[in-house]
Amino acid sequence: HARRIEGIDKNIWVEFTQLAADYKVVNLGQGFPDFSPPSYIQEAFCKAVNGGCSMHQYTHAFGHPPLVSILAKFFGRVVGHEIDAFEDILVTVGAYQALFCTFQALVDEDDEVIIIEPFFDCYQPMVKMAGGKGVYVPLRPRVEGGKALTSADWVLSSEELASKFNPRTKAIVINTPNNPLGKVYKREELQVIADLCIKHDVVCISDEVYEWLTYDGAKHVKIASLPGMWERTVTIGSGGKSFSATGWKEAVAQGFQREYELFGTPESYFLQLPEMLNHKRKKLATCLESVGLQPILPEGGYFMIADISSLKVDLNDPSTQGEPHDYRFVKWLIKEKGLATIPVSAFYSPEHRKDFQNYIRFCFVKEDSTLNAAEDILRKWS
Ligand code: PMP
Ligand code: GLN
């Protein structure tokens, strides 16, 4: 194999999705809905498939024209200025491909890319494949006496962040709402990042695949909408995440068309989905708290991390010896209790991993019956 893929042949999704499949488990691990997309999106998909032979052939290389047109119209309204459908937008196969293309297009050999931890794990290998070097800066929990923690309590130190910028810095990657933490960056937090990007002439890559999923009044802000940032930001969204379905083009175009018309009304899916998920979020948080797994309440996304440090379990499985504590715990939970989650240290760089091995991630974009089954498992054992 090529040198550029050395050490990046493994990832947590391959490892833990296989493990969850090998054991019969309740799966709150990998992030995907276990319910169907809304019916109008399914109908749009069928219509596209049955829409005559041209629907099955190549479309415009940078994006299907009806899709880029409605995306320009829709997001033009969000950012408050005109977007050029054929200049400013690129359609890819998922946010994964968008991230890959962005790093390949922007990062040169030995360029540095600042990555805020915890981060969606693919950023690191993708930067490496482009020849770049990841430079890591963690969000740190600001602990205040006894109060229930939320993802808003995890913050960047402005000084620490500023210290990572230097003449080799090409880009910074942010993810809001964050996977796995659920943090939704406030405008002031984004402004600190934007000021540094402008000062050092750095590009911002903003992964916003969970942009519609915010709770308790948290407001998603696009860093590209801050002054001076439009020209230096690559904003990444996901049709798959937005409509609970992946990889669709014409159907996604019709979904955005419908949202364009219904946005702000109760029929908007971008309102209905977070409302539905908010119930699931609270249900899971209450359950975790009641069994002594302190949750960090997420302001966005569909994941929740919880502190496992107070749980006393006997992890003497020799097959996992030497692995981080959260990896061993998650494997034990799958094998012994039949519940799948994801270890959070996988979302950190090797140098910071040891400081963050006491959290595991639960996914709550699941049927209530799935969440109830998880709750039964947790209550029985604690
Ligand atoms: N970014 C983040 C933060 C994610 O959680 C995911 C996983 N869904 C992706 C990107 C990839 O998204 P997609 O399924 O659209 O490729
Ligand atoms: N983004 C999803 C998650 O974080 C799924 C990732 C994957 O399966 N590759 O769980």
PDB file of all heavy atoms in Angstrom, residues 317-330:
ATOM      1  N   ASP A 317     -10.847  -8.541  30.904  1.00  0.00           N
ATOM      2  CA  ASP A 317     -10.805  -9.298  29.654  1.00  0.00           C
ATOM      3  C   ASP A 317      -9.398  -9.190  29.049  1.00  0.00           C
ATOM      4  O   ASP A 317      -8.970  -8.118  28.636  1.00  0.00           O
ATOM      5  CB  ASP A 317     -11.860  -8.702  28.701  1.00  0.00           C
ATOM      6  CG  ASP A 317     -11.903  -9.418  27.360  1.00  0.00           C
ATOM      7  OD1 ASP A 317     -11.023 -10.269  27.114  1.00  0.00           O
ATOM      8  OD2 ASP A 317     -12.820  -9.112  26.574  1.00  0.00           O
ATOM      9  N   PRO A 318      -8.661 -10.306  29.018  1.00  0.00           N
ATOM     10  CA  PRO A 318      -7.271 -10.220  28.541  1.00  0.00           C
ATOM     11  C   PRO A 318      -7.179  -9.801  27.071  1.00  0.00           C
ATOM     12  O   PRO A 318      -6.166  -9.239  26.647  1.00  0.00           O
ATOM     13  CB  PRO A 318      -6.727 -11.641  28.738  1.00  0.00           C
ATOM     14  CG  PRO A 318      -7.903 -12.511  29.010  1.00  0.00           C
ATOM     15  CD  PRO A 318      -9.052 -11.664  29.413  1.00  0.00           C
ATOM     16  N   SER A 319      -8.262 -10.032  26.310  1.00  0.00           N
ATOM     17  CA  SER A 319      -8.190  -9.705  24.877  1.00  0.00           C
ATOM     18  C   SER A 319      -8.182  -8.197  24.626  1.00  0.00           C
ATOM     19  O   SER A 319      -7.884  -7.744  23.532  1.00  0.00           O
ATOM     20  CB  SER A 319      -9.344 -10.363  24.118  1.00  0.00           C
ATOM     21  OG  SER A 319     -10.547  -9.664  24.356  1.00  0.00           O
ATOM     22  N   THR A 320      -8.525  -7.403  25.654  1.00  0.00           N
ATOM     23  CA  THR A 320      -8.528  -5.954  25.455  1.00  0.00           C
ATOM     24  C   THR A 320      -7.446  -5.254  26.280  1.00  0.00           C
ATOM     25  O   THR A 320      -7.421  -4.021  26.356  1.00  0.00           O
ATOM     26  CB  THR A 320      -9.909  -5.333  25.807  1.00  0.00           C
ATOM     27  OG1 THR A 320     -10.172  -5.544  27.201  1.00  0.00           O
ATOM     28  CG2 THR A 320     -11.023  -5.932  24.980  1.00  0.00           C
ATOM     29  N   GLN A 321      -6.556  -6.044  26.874  1.00  0.00           N
ATOM     30  CA  GLN A 321      -5.493  -5.486  27.715  1.00  0.00           C
ATOM     31  C   GLN A 321      -4.682  -4.431  26.951  1.00  0.00           C
ATOM     32  O   GLN A 321      -4.333  -4.627  25.791  1.00  0.00           O
ATOM     33  CB  GLN A 321      -4.547  -6.597  28.153  1.00  0.00           C
ATOM     34  CG  GLN A 321      -3.644  -6.196  29.297  1.00  0.00           C
ATOM     35  CD  GLN A 321      -3.704  -7.217  30.413  1.00  0.00           C
ATOM     36  OE1 GLN A 321      -3.733  -8.421  30.161  1.00  0.00           O
ATOM     37  NE2 GLN A 321      -3.739  -6.749  31.641  1.00  0.00           N
ATOM     38  N   GLY A 322      -4.383  -3.323  27.628  1.00  0.00           N
ATOM     39  CA  GLY A 322      -3.558  -2.292  27.005  1.00  0.00           C
ATOM     40  C   GLY A 322      -4.342  -1.273  26.205  1.00  0.00           C
ATOM     41  O   GLY A 322      -3.799  -0.257  25.780  1.00  0.00           O
ATOM     42  N   GLU A 323      -5.631  -1.533  25.981  1.00  0.00           N
ATOM     43  CA  GLU A 323      -6.435  -0.561  25.239  1.00  0.00           C
ATOM     44  C   GLU A 323      -6.921   0.537  26.193  1.00  0.00           C
ATOM     45  O   GLU A 323      -6.968   0.337  27.405  1.00  0.00           O
ATOM     46  CB  GLU A 323      -7.641  -1.265  24.594  1.00  0.00           C
ATOM     47  CG  GLU A 323      -7.232  -2.257  23.521  1.00  0.00           C
ATOM     48  CD  GLU A 323      -8.449  -2.880  22.805  1.00  0.00           C
ATOM     49  OE1 GLU A 323      -9.553  -2.310  22.874  1.00  0.00           O
ATOM     50  OE2 GLU A 323      -8.258  -3.940  22.197  1.00  0.00           O
ATOM     51  N   PRO A 324      -7.315   1.705  25.646  1.00  0.00           N
ATOM     52  CA  PRO A 324      -7.839   2.767  26.511  1.00  0.00           C
ATOM     53  C   PRO A 324      -9.056   2.269  27.304  1.00  0.00           C
ATOM     54  O   PRO A 324      -9.780   1.381  26.846  1.00  0.00           O
ATOM     55  CB  PRO A 324      -8.261   3.865  25.531  1.00  0.00           C
ATOM     56  CG  PRO A 324      -7.544   3.560  24.262  1.00  0.00           C
ATOM     57  CD  PRO A 324      -7.298   2.094  24.235  1.00  0.00           C
ATOM     58  N   HIS A 325      -9.245   2.863  28.496  1.00  0.00           N
ATOM     59  CA  HIS A 325     -10.312   2.423  29.395  1.00  0.00           C
ATOM     60  C   HIS A 325     -11.683   2.427  28.714  1.00  0.00           C
ATOM     61  O   HIS A 325     -12.469   1.492  28.857  1.00  0.00           O
ATOM     62  CB  HIS A 325     -10.340   3.331  30.637  1.00  0.00           C
ATOM     63  CG  HIS A 325     -11.422   2.988  31.608  1.00  0.00           C
ATOM     64  ND1 HIS A 325     -11.456   1.778  32.276  1.00  0.00           N
ATOM     65  CD2 HIS A 325     -12.530   3.679  31.999  1.00  0.00           C
ATOM     66  CE1 HIS A 325     -12.536   1.750  33.058  1.00  0.00           C
ATOM     67  NE2 HIS A 325     -13.198   2.891  32.903  1.00  0.00           N
ATOM     68  N   ASP A 326     -11.992   3.495  27.941  1.00  0.00           N
ATOM     69  CA  ASP A 326     -13.327   3.566  27.323  1.00  0.00           C
ATOM     70  C   ASP A 326     -13.512   2.479  26.254  1.00  0.00           C
ATOM     71  O   ASP A 326     -14.599   1.934  26.104  1.00  0.00           O
ATOM     72  CB  ASP A 326     -13.631   4.969  26.772  1.00  0.00           C
ATOM     73  CG  ASP A 326     -12.610   5.482  25.787  1.00  0.00           C
ATOM     74  OD1 ASP A 326     -11.512   4.894  25.673  1.00  0.00           O
ATOM     75  OD2 ASP A 326     -12.891   6.498  25.111  1.00  0.00           O
ATOM     76  N   TYR A 327     -12.439   2.142  25.537  1.00  0.00           N
ATOM     77  CA  TYR A 327     -12.519   1.040  24.560  1.00  0.00           C
ATOM     78  C   TYR A 327     -12.859  -0.271  25.271  1.00  0.00           C
ATOM     79  O   TYR A 327     -13.713  -1.028  24.830  1.00  0.00           O
ATOM     80  CB  TYR A 327     -11.186   0.876  23.811  1.00  0.00           C
ATOM     81  CG  TYR A 327     -11.036   1.758  22.601  1.00  0.00           C
ATOM     82  CD1 TYR A 327     -10.935   3.141  22.726  1.00  0.00           C
ATOM     83  CD2 TYR A 327     -10.994   1.213  21.320  1.00  0.00           C
ATOM     84  CE1 TYR A 327     -10.781   3.953  21.622  1.00  0.00           C
ATOM     85  CE2 TYR A 327     -10.843   2.019  20.199  1.00  0.00           C
ATOM     86  CZ  TYR A 327     -10.730   3.392  20.354  1.00  0.00           C
ATOM     87  OH  TYR A 327     -10.594   4.190  19.243  1.00  0.00           O
ATOM     88  N   ARG A 328     -12.170  -0.529  26.391  1.00  0.00           N
ATOM     89  CA  ARG A 328     -12.390  -1.772  27.128  1.00  0.00           C
ATOM     90  C   ARG A 328     -13.809  -1.802  27.691  1.00  0.00           C
ATOM     91  O   ARG A 328     -14.486  -2.824  27.644  1.00  0.00           O
ATOM     92  CB  ARG A 328     -11.372  -1.898  28.279  1.00  0.00           C
ATOM     93  CG  ARG A 328      -9.933  -1.883  27.814  1.00  0.00           C
ATOM     94  CD  ARG A 328      -8.988  -2.266  28.935  1.00  0.00           C
ATOM     95  NE  ARG A 328      -8.981  -3.725  29.111  1.00  0.00           N
ATOM     96  CZ  ARG A 328      -8.343  -4.350  30.097  1.00  0.00           C
ATOM     97  NH1 ARG A 328      -7.669  -3.653  30.993  1.00  0.00           N
ATOM     98  NH2 ARG A 328      -8.372  -5.664  30.192  1.00  0.00           N
ATOM     99  N   PHE A 329     -14.245  -0.634  28.188  1.00  0.00           N
ATOM    100  CA  PHE A 329     -15.581  -0.566  28.777  1.00  0.00           C
ATOM    101  C   PHE A 329     -16.654  -0.824  27.710  1.00  0.00           C
ATOM    102  O   PHE A 329     -17.591  -1.587  27.919  1.00  0.00           O
ATOM    103  CB  PHE A 329     -15.788   0.816  29.420  1.00  0.00           C
ATOM    104  CG  PHE A 329     -17.104   0.940  30.136  1.00  0.00           C
ATOM    105  CD1 PHE A 329     -17.225   0.574  31.466  1.00  0.00           C
ATOM    106  CD2 PHE A 329     -18.224   1.426  29.466  1.00  0.00           C
ATOM    107  CE1 PHE A 329     -18.441   0.672  32.125  1.00  0.00           C
ATOM    108  CE2 PHE A 329     -19.446   1.527  30.120  1.00  0.00           C
ATOM    109  CZ  PHE A 329     -19.563   1.151  31.452  1.00  0.00           C
ATOM    110  N   VAL A 330     -16.494  -0.176  26.555  1.00  0.00           N
ATOM    111  CA  VAL A 330     -17.497  -0.332  25.486  1.00  0.00           C
ATOM    112  C   VAL A 330     -17.541  -1.787  25.001  1.00  0.00           C
ATOM    113  O   VAL A 330     -18.612  -2.338  24.753  1.00  0.00           O
ATOM    114  CB  VAL A 330     -17.218   0.649  24.325  1.00  0.00           C
ATOM    115  CG1 VAL A 330     -18.042   0.301  23.093  1.00  0.00           C
ATOM    116  CG2 VAL A 330     -17.522   2.085  24.759  1.00  0.00           C
TER     117      VAL A 330
END
